[in-house]
Amino acid sequence: MRDQCTGGFLLNHSGDLFLMKVELISTGDEVMEGFIEDTNSSWISRRLIDRGIEVSRRSSTGDDREAISAVIKECSGRADVVIVNGGLGPTTDDLTTEAAAAAAGVPVVRNSAWESRIRDWFAARNRTMTDNNLKQADLPEGAEVIDNPAGTACGYQMRINGTEFFFTPGVPSEFKRMCDDHILPAIFSNVPDDTVILRYFLLGIGESSIGKRLSGISWPEGITIGYRAFFPYLEIKITARKTGASELSAAETMLLREISPWLVGRKQLDMAGNISKLSGVIPLQVLEYGTRGRLIREIAGAMESVSCRLKPLPETAHDLLAYIKPERCRTIAVGRETENGIPVAYWGGLRGFAVTIRMPGRDHERFLDFAAAAALDMLQRALSGHRLDVRYEMAEITEEADV
């Protein structure tokens, strides 16, 4: 790396702290045209954010040598680390290596050691090797090979215009193995032991509102606060460098005092997974209509003891709660949408609660995303024994009912 890195930040030689800039480049016509979903970028982004490193930009380009070279040049010098994915195979449309060499101003040269690996790979499987496979042993001059135990396309690492580049094959299993074995350890290797990152996830309040609430707080020395908005959620990070346990605990207490009403997750955002743990083997029923299957998709993938039904449901909070009250198991329901909003109701066997949520002026699809998230929040709060009458700053509560 250009400087010492520390959990999403870089320390320059004077010891000042500034954000590490990590960018991703995905190549391939199939990605650009939507025939293949770019799951690799999502996966590596999650792995990085777990250590407090946020990807600052993601770029995509088709199988075009000049276009790939241009985006590499654009990222170089601007980012500290760039991970390039795809285009290292043996076919004529695998052009990333030629593009990287052009961007770096170096020739492509044959790596004899990797050529031997390719020949051995085919011989060990008693398969005939065509000459085009040796293209995968051609690397930009000066590049360092990154091993690929699962395939014939090696990755490689090189510096271009002061930026550290990692080039990787597009096959997900090979990409993930390469990242786990080499790339992520290389990025994380300089993270000092004196840095701690705590993460909190909020629902229903915007970055500007939270920023205003936190602006007057005098944080302990070594504490910095960061934000990441991804609708309908907001992530807040406490980064503590060379900070004692008491100072970190004090900072967390100060933060929670301001954000607790909207808190839906710590360390990671997984309400459905947390609901599954809280529910255990006790059956849960999900009834949905207004959010068009969003809630069912979230919960069904995380739980086994759950019954899910997509069906027409009442359009008011009172009527929806009355509809699910006869149910013998815990039930979360999302009713029919009207001009007053979407009703969400929970019945726990003895007590129940319902609200109708509206978001004036918001894109409708985003509103549906929010309503599904609010239903998850209501269910998680109910199972945790927390109050259900939360007030979201992003939305209006137009009706409320309890029993």
Side-chain angles (χ1 to χ4, degrees):
M1 310 300 159
R2 289 187 293 179
D3 299 282
Q4 181 186 5
C5 72
T6 165
F9 296 85
L10 287 178
L11 290 174
N12 60 24
H13 297 300
S14 65
D16 298 324
L17 199 63
F18 61 98
L19 280 172
M20 178 193 293
K21 294 181 180 178
V22 178
E23 298 191 19
L24 308 178
I25 300 174
S26 302
T27 71
D29 290 341
E30 65 278 9
V31 174
M32 293 292 290
E33 295 166 358
F35 290 106
I36 293 180
E37 186 177 352
D38 184 13
T39 58
N40 287 343
S41 290
S42 299
W43 179 84
I44 192 65
S45 294
R46 290 193 298 270
R47 294 298 303 276
L48 289 167
I49 201 66
D50 283 344
R51 293 293 296 270
I53 302 173
E54 182 177 349
V55 172
S56 60
R57 185 174 301 194
R58 286 166 57 168
S59 305
S60 298
T61 182
D63 294 315
D64 180 280
R65 184 185 298 105
E66 286 70 28
I68 299 171
S69 183
V71 74
I72 290 173
K73 288 181 181 178
E74 180 185 343
C75 295
S76 69
R78 178 180 66 200
D80 301 298
V81 175
V82 178
I83 301 173
V84 184
N85 187 230
L88 302 185
T91 61
T92 56
D93 61 351
D94 288 308
L95 303 170
T96 297
T97 293
E98 296 173 28
V106 298
V108 174
V109 296
R110 176 64 55 87
N111 184 290
S112 58
W114 195 257
E115 177 182 350
S116 297
R117 278 285 299 273
I118 295 173
R119 295 183 183 278
D120 292 344
W121 191 91
F122 280 93
R125 290 160 177 78
N126 197 28
R127 292 172 54 182
T128 301
M129 186 198 74
T130 56
D131 289 341
N132 65 313
N133 282 282
L134 296 181
K135 175 185 177 181
Q136 297 168 111
D138 295 336
L139 308 180
E141 187 176 58
E144 176 186 345
V145 169
I146 300 175
D147 189 26
N148 181 3
T152 56
C154 69
Y156 53 90
Q157 177 179 349
M158 63 186 299
R159 185 166 295 193
I160 302 175
N161 194 23
T163 295
E164 204 70 31
F165 279 80
F166 296 93
F167 293 86
T168 60
V171 179
S173 59
E174 299 178 20
F175 170 75
K176 292 176 181 179
R177 176 74 179 272
M178 200 172 287
C179 286
D180 283 337
D181 289 354
H182 180 88
I183 297 172
L184 290 174
I187 294 174
F188 297 153
S189 63
N190 294 314
V191 177
D193 294 334
D194 59 9
T195 297
V196 176
I197 296 173
L198 304 180
R199 302 168 63 202
Y200 309 86
F201 297 91
L202 315 183
L203 173 67
I205 188 166
E207 185 174 351
S208 59
S209 295
I210 284 293
K212 185 177 181 180
R213 296 177 71 95
L214 302 183
S215 61
I217 297 177
S218 297
W219 301 100
E221 185 176 355
I223 297 291
T224 57
I225 305 296
Y227 307 85
R228 181 174 68 101
F230 55 111
F231 188 88
Y233 300 102
L234 175 65
E235 178 189 2
I236 299 182
K237 290 184 291 187
I238 293 179
T239 300
R241 179 172 176 263
K242 295 182 178 178
T243 303
S246 60
E247 289 83 4
L248 180 57
S249 177
E252 183 177 37
T253 299
M254 295 160 69
L255 178 66
L256 290 174
R257 189 180 300 129
E258 300 296 331
I259 69 172
S260 289
W262 306 278
L263 185 66
V264 295
R266 301 191 194 195
K267 190 175 180 180
Q268 63 180 355
L269 178 62
D270 184 15
M271 282 197 282
N274 192 43
I275 288 166
S276 177
K277 293 176 183 177
L278 291 168
S279 183
V281 297
I282 299 175
L284 173 70
Q285 180 175 222
V286 179
L287 304 178
E288 185 177 14
Y289 190 67
T291 44
R292 304 176 185 174
R294 285 167 167 80
L295 180 60
I296 289 175
R297 284 195 295 270
E298 287 281 349
I299 293 181
M303 297 186 64
E304 294 182 2
S305 301
V306 61
S307 169
C308 299
R309 284 185 285 169
L310 191 64
K311 58 181 292 186
L313 294 169
E315 60 188 33
T316 71
H318 285 86
D319 290 346
L320 184 60
L321 185 53
Y323 180 86
I324 65 174
K325 184 180 176 182
E327 299 293 341
R328 295 183 178 181
C329 64
R330 292 170 174 169
T331 300
I332 187 78
V334 180
R336 183 192 302 270
E337 182 180 4
T338 68
E339 61 182 13
N340 288 327
I342 295 178
V344 179
Y346 169 78
W347 175 248
L350 296 175
R351 298 292 302 273
F353 183 78
V355 293
T356 297
I357 302 170
R358 183 172 65 181
M359 296 184 74
R362 284 281 185 178
D363 173 81
H364 187 251
E365 292 299 313
R366 285 196 159 201
F367 172 46
L368 299 185
D369 291 339
F370 180 85
L376 283 172
D377 186 22
M378 180 181 289
L379 180 55
Q380 180 173 248
R381 288 172 181 272
L383 297 177
S384 302
H386 295 159
R387 294 183 59 170
L388 302 184
D389 56 343
V390 62
R391 291 295 184 264
Y392 301 113
E393 290 199 4
M394 286 183 178
E396 298 177 0
I397 302 299
T398 59
E399 183 189 9
E400 190 172 295
D402 60 40
V403 66

